[in-house]
Amino acid sequence: MCLNGWGGKLYKELLPYLRDTSPDILCLQEVVHSPASDKDWLTYRDGDHVLPQRANFFLDVHHALPDHVAVFCPAAQGVLWDGDQPIPSQWGLATFVHRSLPVIGQVQGFVHKDYSPAGYGEHPRSRVAHGVRVYDYAGERSISVTHMHGLRDLNGKMDTPERSEQARRLLAQSCHVSEAGDLRVICGDFNVEPGSETLRILNDAGFSELVTGRGFVSTRNSHYTKPGKFADYMLIDREEAVRAFDVVRDPEVSDHCPLLLDL
């Protein structure tokens, strides 16, 4: 499963959904981790963009999936707010792997800029990717899964040199965590349109994109009211290995739809 968790805004819906589905591998973007705070909620403020955040969203999900190995990958540490009090808080992505799947390789690195230790930074901000290589005993094969949260450009989702470089770095991380013969998956909230250079770069490397390739018309739901209904993508290098793929519209657990891949 791949999902942008929206900072845990809909955690009351999300956590039961994750417990029920218990995906073997969960690739989760927009994850908050505030080890200096025991608050349930803090507030993100960026000009007129104000958003409630689960202060320790990473731990919320980890507690909902106690049989999973959890890895948090921060992109930056900035400030969330408890009223007028600033609270240091890390922001990034996380990967959760069920303990039945041995993790036999990992890679973590930046696809845009570097770690920002003293503030979230100017847009477009730092972005990190994480990849795991697991052994699937049921399928007698190794599988690598690499995900990122693509940079957000205030001007929109158009192609830029930074996004092209980001795609190449993401591909390089997938290559780094994989061995010859592995089944390879790349996914995430890429923050680009279906016709983007990002997807062309991955397609040219042998990956098939499943969201638009299988006729889905959006990866956003009723909580997202802006134009542009695509953000999230799932790609695989051997489409014949796909048993099922879905963009889950019900329940709504974020302003993004979960992408669910069965191999």
Side-chain angles (χ1 to χ4, degrees), residues 199 203 207-214 232-236:
L199 296 179
N203 181 256
F207 286 84
S208 300
E209 198 283 298
L210 299 177
V211 174
T212 57
R214 300 209 167 193
D232 313 272
Y233 298 93
M234 182 84 73
L235 301 99
I236 190 166

Side-chain angles (χ1 to χ4, degrees), residues 114-137:
D114 199 351
Y115 182 67
S116 180
Y120 297 124
E122 298 296 321
H123 293 286
R125 291 170 170 166
S126 298
R127 299 290 165 145
V128 68
H130 184 232
V132 293
R133 183 174 184 245
V134 302
Y135 191 79
D136 170 23
Y137 276 97

Side-chain angles (χ1 to χ4, degrees), residues 25-29 69-74 93-97 103 105-111 127-133 144-149 170 173-174 177 185-187:
I25 299 175
L26 170 63
C27 298
L28 190 66
Q29 301 91 47
V69 175
V71 179
F72 174 65
C73 305
L93 49 78
T95 309
F96 302 81
V97 181
V103 177
Q106 288 190 69
V107 63
Q108 176 182 345
F110 282 80
V111 291
R127 299 290 165 145
V128 68
H130 184 232
V132 293
R133 183 174 184 245
S144 75
V145 180
T146 306
H147 71 118
M148 75 165 181
H149 186 184
L170 176 64
Q173 290 205 30
S174 174
V177 78
V185 176
I186 295 177
C187 57

Side-chain angles (χ1 to χ4, degrees), residues 55-101:
N56 282 289
F57 185 37
F58 173 62
L59 294 180
D60 288 338
V61 177
H62 191 19
H63 293 154
L65 297 173
D67 291 329
H68 287 63
V69 175
V71 179
F72 174 65
C73 305
Q77 178 166 296
V79 167
L80 297 180
W81 295 88
D82 179 14
D84 294 329
Q85 180 182 3
I87 304 293
S89 181
Q90 296 168 14
W91 180 92
L93 49 78
T95 309
F96 302 81
V97 181
H98 193 273
R99 62 183 182 181
S100 63
L101 292 175

